[in-house]
Amino acid sequence: MARSLLSRAAGVFQLSRTTTLLTGTRFYAHSTEPEPLTLRQQNNGIRRIILNNPKKRNALSLSMLESLRENILTDVDSEDLRVIIISAKGPVFSSGHDLKELTSAQGRDYHTKVFHTCAEVMTLIQDIPVPVVAMVNGVATAAGCQLVASCDIAVVTEKSTFATPGVNVGLFCSTPAVAIGRAVPRKVAMEMLFTGSPISAHDALLHGLVSKVVPEERLEEETLAIAQRVCQASRLVVALGKATFQRQMAQGRDAAYATASKVMVDNLALTDGQEGIRAFIEKRKPVWSHKVEKAHD
């Protein structure tokens, strides 16, 4: 079971694209000088993906979703990639779907493609073998709130707010509810969905939607500190742990313990598993291989 989880975590998303710094493949439709909808930077194992359409409140249009998907997937299996941070330019992290794409003029097939792509991106964030951190400084609504809820970790500023206001425009936030309903208590989710009222950053922390609330001037520092800490661990062990966590959370208690126990035994059989234990006993820093190598059967 652990090997199948590890294969999924470390190999399913292998692509043959070449990473380019500060890149994005989808562009503004009416800009004289095309601007990428997302920016990608990578340094010391940390990939930064920045939503780059502040004029449209970083709406998750189909083009934005496709650009985000590409920047997540590019070289996702490289040992050089250890963690992804998603942030945004401007005062709005993301306002959710572009409502102009959801009119009858676009048609049912287009609408289906929008929500299919959105679901693909949200599940991709949880299925890739590296942790994904949301760095939020502002408003996150509807699918923007869904994006925050889908990330493994979310660090936000005190001025950030979160809402699912679709009900107020006749479009209930059913797909955002999938991620939000798995992140916060049921009654909190239902109040957000039925009223559309925003919750504060501190309420989001209280209910489990976000991981940490920090002053605006410390957002970058706090987020990078988490990312750098992730980079100190074995990529292989992190990938195995992330895949196992997602799997056992979908199971009943007894099945979850069976899954997790089996994976821990298999984790111990890995070279990196034994290296970490030896390093602890010998009071030194571990030297990770980051590879699927066995120390014993």
Side-chain angles (χ1 to χ4, degrees), residues 120-271:
E120 184 181 359
V121 169
M122 301 302 168
T123 56
L124 182 63
I125 286 169
Q126 297 184 331
D127 289 348
I128 61 172
V130 297
V132 181
V133 183
M135 186 172 81
V136 182
N137 183 29
V139 178
T141 60
C145 188
Q146 179 185 2
L147 179 57
V148 175
S150 297
C151 289
D152 300 307
I153 299 169
V155 184
V156 310
T157 63
E158 295 166 322
K159 72 178 187 180
S160 299
T161 59
F162 306 87
T164 50
V167 67
N168 298 323
V169 296
L171 182 64
F172 198 85
C173 285
S174 293
T175 47
V178 174
I180 294 164
R182 285 161 171 75
V184 307
R186 181 186 296 263
K187 287 181 172 56
V188 174
M190 297 303 275
E191 181 180 352
M192 291 178 67
L193 292 162
F194 288 141
T195 68
S197 299
I199 63 172
S200 68
H202 287 286
D203 281 344
L205 177 63
L206 175 67
H207 298 308
L209 182 61
V210 306
S211 312
K212 183 178 289 190
V213 180
V214 300
E216 184 174 4
E217 63 272 15
R218 287 177 48 202
L219 178 62
E220 188 99 3
E221 175 188 352
E222 293 281 350
T223 307
L224 286 174
I226 292 172
Q228 289 161 357
R229 187 64 182 267
V230 171
C231 289
Q232 293 174 15
S234 163
R235 187 186 196 274
L236 178 68
V237 171
V238 169
L240 179 60
K242 178 174 175 176
T244 305
F245 181 83
Q246 295 292 350
R247 182 182 178 93
Q248 63 86 14
M249 285 296 289
Q251 297 176 323
R253 182 195 61 189
D254 293 347
Y257 269 120
T259 293
S261 297
K262 175 65 165 59
V263 171
M264 289 200 75
V265 170
D266 290 337
N267 191 160
L268 283 171
L270 294 172
T271 299

Side-chain angles (χ1 to χ4, degrees), residues 42-199:
Q42 188 167 323
N43 188 38
N44 295 326
I46 302 171
R47 177 174 298 175
R48 304 283 301 269
I49 300 175
I50 304 165
L51 306 184
N52 187 42
N53 195 356
K55 291 181 180 179
K56 290 194 174 181
R57 297 165 60 89
N58 293 310
L60 295 179
S61 63
L62 180 57
S63 293
M64 175 74 90
L65 288 166
E66 290 172 342
S67 182
L68 181 57
R69 178 179 61 192
E70 179 174 336
N71 283 331
I72 291 170
L73 278 174
T74 297
D75 293 329
V76 74
D77 293 311
S78 169
E79 289 182 13
D80 294 332
L81 177 62
R82 309 296 296 285
V83 62
I84 293 174
I85 297 173
I86 299 177
S87 61
K89 285 192 175 183
V92 177
F93 177 76
S94 176
S95 59
H97 292 293
D98 185 347
L99 295 183
K100 291 182 179 178
E101 291 189 340
L102 304 182
T103 64
S104 296
Q106 295 291 345
R108 188 179 187 89
D109 288 345
Y110 188 87
H111 298 163
T112 299
K113 185 175 182 181
V114 168
F115 289 105
H116 174 81
T117 305
C118 183
E120 184 181 359
V121 169
M122 301 302 168
T123 56
L124 182 63
I125 286 169
Q126 297 184 331
D127 289 348
I128 61 172
V130 297
V132 181
V133 183
M135 186 172 81
V136 182
N137 183 29
V139 178
T141 60
C145 188
Q146 179 185 2
L147 179 57
V148 175
S150 297
C151 289
D152 300 307
I153 299 169
V155 184
V156 310
T157 63
E158 295 166 322
K159 72 178 187 180
S160 299
T161 59
F162 306 87
T164 50
V167 67
N168 298 323
V169 296
L171 182 64
F172 198 85
C173 285
S174 293
T175 47
V178 174
I180 294 164
R182 285 161 171 75
V184 307
R186 181 186 296 263
K187 287 181 172 56
V188 174
M190 297 303 275
E191 181 180 352
M192 291 178 67
L193 292 162
F194 288 141
T195 68
S197 299
I199 63 172

